Amino acid sequence: MEATAKRLLDWYDANARVLPWRAPPGAPPPDPYRVWLSEVMLQQTTVAAVGPYFAKFLARWPTVKDLAAAEDADVMAAWAGLGYYARARNLLACARAVAARGGTFPDSEAALRELPGLGAYTAAAVAAIAFDRRAIVVDANVERVVARLFAIDEPLPAAKAAIRQRAEQLTPDERPGDFAQAMMDLGSGICTVRGPRCLLCPLSELCTGRREGAERFPVKPAKTAKPQRRGRAFWIEQDGKVWLVKRADKGMLGGMRALPDDSWSARGDGAADPPLPDAWEPHGNVRHSFTHFDLDLQLMLYSGCDWARLAAQQGEWWPVAELDQAGLPTLFAKAARLALAQDREN
Ligand code: SF4
């Protein structure tokens, strides 16, 4: 085994993080369902944020077949707050495909890649961690470690090819699953974005980036400002209930319950009409940052009494006191908090 992999695995044997979806170093691989579920949840999301969601999903849907049989709305609601909601829709599609093949995940990277919504990274991670297959697993942590180890000067994203090639050279034939997790742990706990702890690093003697100033790597692309979008969300309340809609399945926050809005996400211009005419008052703004743009959402409160017109529209009256069970995505949960805080003031 190559020296870098050996050092890293020795370090991992003594320092592996204990996580609910993991098996200890050297132990037989964990249940593929747990590995897959955790990897989907961990995309763009921290371990600390994922922990409670992982526990909740496992308690409610202990096997992939249970998850496959769940109602879409229940899964979307359970996912609420974790963000990047396309993941929840892909999760269900994948669970159903696995259930259709008897509830067993395929055990090779190529076959995993065939499952719906299962991207290159997740297929590699599940193949390595759940089946101990040699697969090249490169998440943001691994990217940082490799860019530093080899002082890769090229800026991201162009550097990804070189990083992958180096990661491929490092990945051992033995214990590739532990190796992948060891790289993740090193990136998360030692080779951190800021203030890497090089004195504690098992790879410090082999690391070129450390000598050149580790924090310089990976080299970032020149910054471009995120586009700013504006939109409006509409709060309509009657007898302790608020009007909620289900968003279209395709598109941003698809399939989630939400406040009605003016199509800022679907059309980008935020120019669609409110669900009821007239009697709208602005009640402050909510700012939210999505991956590709920042949104300034103005909250409009309805002060009229023409609720009957809603009967012809798709939606439901939801008790305000139980709004925390509606599974609103973070943006609309923020807007709801704003509406309720202002209600109390008025
Ligand atoms: S020596 Fe420092 S920069 Fe290099 S891999 Fe270790 S923690 Fe990262």
Side-chain angles (χ1 to χ4, degrees):
M1 188 184 297
E2 208 253 345
T4 310
K6 166 107 182 53
R7 282 187 195 214
L8 189 66
L9 284 168
D10 288 348
W11 172 84
Y12 183 68
D13 287 342
N15 295 284
R17 283 180 291 179
V18 176
L19 297 170
W21 45 84
R22 280 223 178 142
D31 176 2
Y33 173 56
R34 298 169 78 100
V35 175
W36 163 74
L37 183 61
S38 68
E39 286 298 337
V40 175
M41 288 184 165
L42 285 164
Q43 289 161 23
Q44 326 275 351
T45 311
T46 63
V47 165
V50 164
Y53 282 87
F54 181 79
K56 179 168 67 174
F57 267 66
L58 263 202
R60 193 157 172 194
W61 301 295
T63 70
V64 70
K65 283 184 174 173
D66 296 323
L67 182 60
E71 294 289 335
D72 289 29
D74 290 343
V75 173
M76 299 309 285
W79 191 275
L82 207 47
Y84 300 95
Y85 294 93
R87 291 183 296 169
R89 292 193 294 279
N90 287 336
L91 190 81
L92 264 174
C94 184
R96 287 170 184 158
V98 174
R101 42 179 307 204
T104 309
F105 280 84
D107 66 357
S108 74
E109 185 179 354
L112 284 160
R113 191 78 174 82
E114 300 285 304
L115 291 171
L118 215 143
Y121 166 77
T122 311
V126 174
I129 299 169
F131 299 107
D132 212 21
R133 299 283 189 161
R134 186 176 182 278
I136 316 307
V137 184
V138 183
D139 68 359
N141 280 326
V142 177
E143 198 167 80
R144 185 169 60 256
V145 172
V146 173
R148 288 175 177 175
L149 269 177
F150 297 98
I152 294 175
D153 254 327
E154 203 176 357
L156 287 170
K160 282 179 183 287
I163 290 172
R164 190 175 170 79
Q165 191 191 10
R166 292 294 197 171
E168 150 97 70
Q169 288 165 4
L170 292 178
T171 304
D173 293 331
E174 292 163 51
R175 301 180 64 192
D178 280 349
F179 176 81
Q181 294 172 98
M183 286 291 271
M184 293 172 186
D185 282 13
L186 191 77
S188 149
I190 302 284
C191 195
T192 45
V193 176
R194 275 177 284 284
R197 301 153 77 198
C198 300
L199 290 176
L200 298 177
C201 178
L203 308 182
S204 61
E205 286 169 30
L206 308 168
C207 179
T208 311
R210 180 178 69 97
R211 292 190 284 273
E212 297 186 16
E215 287 191 27
R216 198 161 79 69
F217 305 101
V219 180
K220 310 272 183 313
K223 263 204 169 168
T224 51
K226 268 193 200 178
Q228 174 84 41
R229 283 197 196 174
R230 293 183 195 288
R232 289 174 300 164
F234 303 104
W235 181 271
I236 307 168
E237 190 174 337
Q238 180 197 195
D239 295 338
K241 294 183 175 168
V242 60
W243 182 252
L244 297 183
V245 295
K246 182 170 170 281
R247 296 179 62 82
D249 283 336
K250 290 224 157 39
M252 291 202 61
L253 311 176
M256 307 288 296
R257 272 197 204 96
L259 297 176
D261 68 41
D262 64 356
S263 293
W264 54 267
S265 56
R267 304 181 353 176
D269 59 359
D273 291 333
L276 294 171
D278 308 327
W280 291 101
E281 292 171 6
H283 271 258
N285 291 46
V286 169
R287 290 184 181 79
H288 193 74
S289 193
F290 291 100
T291 315
H292 300 298
F293 64 93
D294 291 326
L295 175 68
D296 187 341
L297 188 73
Q298 185 179 41
L299 181 66
M300 306 295 290
L301 298 199
Y302 183 62
S303 58
C305 52
D306 203 3
W307 301 295
R309 283 171 177 255
L310 291 173
Q313 300 184 30
Q314 297 273 334
E316 61 188 320
W317 289 107
W318 190 276
V320 171
E322 293 168 19
L323 208 48
D324 57 344
Q325 291 159 43
L328 295 179
T330 306
L331 168 68
F332 291 104
K334 281 187 198 171
R337 277 198 296 277
L338 177 65
L340 294 171
Q342 301 219 356
D343 266 3
R344 279 196 289 275
E345 281 167 20
N346 292 338

